[in-house]
Amino acid sequence: MSLVNFSGQNVVEFTITGFDHLPYHKLMGTVILLAYCLALFCSTTNICVISTDRRLHRPMYLLICNLALVDIMFTTGASTTMISVLLAGDKTISYHSCLARVYIYHLGDITECLALSLMALDRTVAISEPLRYATILTNQRVFILIVVSWLLGICLMGTLVSIADQLPYCQPVIKYVFCDYAAIIRAACVDPEPYWVLSSTGALWLLGGQFPLILISYGKLVFTVLRLPSTEKGGRTFRTVISHFIPVVCYYAPKLVSVLLTRVGVTLNLTERNALLIISTLVPPLINPTVYCLQSKEIRGAVLRVLRRNLL
């Protein structure tokens, strides 16, 4: 395609070309569709069960409900584009729809990180200060923390999308598998380096700020659990800590792999970058609701009560 100068206002649509060089489009699209539908089903189930059962209106379950909502938004921002390209064969996406999905995807990404941080805080207080837990973390305080996390994400993403909307585009082609900030910045006919400052600062805050705090929190939890008497209660507490750490690993692992490989001089090609993107957007929303549903006896019990009530 020849390069044609477009202004941001004149771009009508983008073309997604990230899958062009890959085989088995239908198979890949079917796998992504199944993973997306399963993630939606599991997250929606958690939200419905927690919101309708007053016995679950407690801080930990409010945070699980928030994480499920974030998971839906995070995976929807990316999966719907990939499914459309792979299964429907529609590689074009309108300019404003692409910007909207950039906003939704990255808002989900930021709030997912903050949701995991809040859950680490919740478990730290619950295990380290069990007698004061109910007075330190009330439903009202947890709700305020959730609102603040969303407001931070909304403000940051509003700024990034506003920057992207003002750029001129040389050719409206996205070489990645869905619309995200990096993809549309690279599609613009500008030097991308100045436009990485804000996004890089946000990424540094997520990886260099939030992730160490989460590790410290769970490290403190493990230390606290190891000091408990070797009883069944101590074993259950340790399993709880491990189950809460699994979503953290699923969320941060693809990001850390990309960063660490870059630091040691390994350059990822486009296919490898796209693979990491797909894993990072599908695995956490699929794992999170499953882990919390299986780990929480209260949620399992509520689900079973709903099933019995509807089937009998």
Side-chain angles (χ1 to χ4, degrees):
M1 175 184 288
S2 62
L3 297 183
V4 180
N5 287 328
F6 291 95
S7 71
Q9 297 300 318
N10 291 332
V11 169
V12 176
E13 61 187 19
F14 288 106
T15 301
I16 308 291
T17 62
F19 290 111
D20 284 2
H21 60 292
L22 297 177
Y24 309 114
H25 283 191
K26 297 300 182 183
L27 176 59
M28 192 182 308
T30 301
V31 172
I32 293 174
L33 176 62
L34 291 176
Y36 176 59
C37 291
L38 186 57
L40 283 184
F41 173 77
C42 293
S43 293
T44 303
T45 299
N46 276 355
I47 292 172
C48 292
V49 167
I50 293 171
S51 60
T52 56
D53 192 332
R54 295 186 62 85
R55 287 168 292 190
L56 299 180
H57 291 181
R58 289 180 280 163
M60 185 182 79
Y61 298 105
L62 293 180
L63 292 171
I64 292 176
C65 191
N66 175 59
L67 183 63
L69 181 60
V70 168
D71 283 334
I72 291 174
M73 181 174 61
F74 182 43
T75 190
T76 296
S79 297
T80 51
T81 301
M82 294 189 289
I83 292 167
S84 175
V85 172
L86 292 170
L87 294 184
D90 185 5
K91 297 196 297 182
T92 60
I93 181 171
S94 71
Y95 173 77
H96 293 293
S97 178
C98 186
L99 285 184
R101 296 187 193 203
V102 170
Y103 186 89
I104 293 170
Y105 170 73
H106 286 293
L107 177 59
D109 196 9
I110 295 169
T111 49
E112 177 109 5
C113 171
L114 295 176
L116 293 173
S117 298
L118 291 178
M119 297 188 76
L121 171 66
D122 173 77
R123 290 300 86 197
T124 300
V125 175
I127 295 176
S128 302
E129 301 287 344
L131 299 180
R132 300 176 56 205
Y133 174 74
T135 56
I136 295 175
L137 283 181
T138 62
N139 283 352
Q140 183 179 11
R141 288 175 180 172
V142 167
F143 181 76
I144 291 173
L145 289 173
I146 291 173
V147 170
V148 169
S149 71
W150 278 82
L151 289 177
L152 286 173
I154 288 169
C155 292
L156 178 57
M157 278 319 304
T159 303
L160 287 179
V161 171
S162 176
I163 291 172
D165 189 36
Q166 297 173 27
L167 295 179
Y169 292 90
C170 294
Q171 56 179 2
V173 174
I174 291 178
K175 297 180 181 179
Y176 291 81
V177 292
F178 57 83
C179 294
D180 71 344
Y181 182 75
I184 60 175
I185 291 298
R186 289 191 172 98
C189 52
V190 295
D191 177 11
E193 292 302 324
Y195 300 95
W196 298 135
V197 175
L198 184 57
S199 60
S200 297
T201 302
L204 181 62
W205 172 54
L206 296 179
L207 291 177
Q210 296 298 309
F211 185 56
L213 288 177
I214 293 174
L215 288 182
I216 291 171
S217 298
Y218 283 108
K220 177 177 173 58
L221 291 182
V222 171
F223 178 74
T224 302
V225 170
L226 291 177
R227 294 172 57 193
L228 294 174
S230 181
T231 61
E232 183 183 352
K233 182 178 180 181
R236 286 201 308 269
T237 305
F238 188 75
R239 288 194 296 271
T240 299
V241 173
I242 295 300
S243 66
H244 278 253
F245 193 64
I246 290 174
V248 175
V249 173
C250 291
Y251 174 76
Y252 279 102
K255 301 178 185 299
L256 290 173
V257 167
S258 178
V259 171
L260 292 176
L261 289 178
T262 301
R263 288 297 179 187
V264 298
V266 177
T267 302
L268 298 177
N269 60 38
L270 189 60
T271 301
E272 292 164 343
R273 289 181 181 276
N274 283 334
L276 282 175
L277 278 175
I278 294 172
I279 291 171
S280 67
T281 55
L282 288 179
V283 173
L286 191 60
I287 294 296
N288 293 347
T290 307
V291 166
Y292 290 119
C293 184
L294 293 177
Q295 182 271 332
S296 172
K297 182 171 64 176
E298 289 84 356
I299 294 181
R300 290 201 310 270
V303 171
L304 290 175
R305 285 193 295 273
V306 171
L307 291 176
R308 283 196 293 266
R309 186 165 59 245
N310 291 330
L311 295 178
L312 296 180

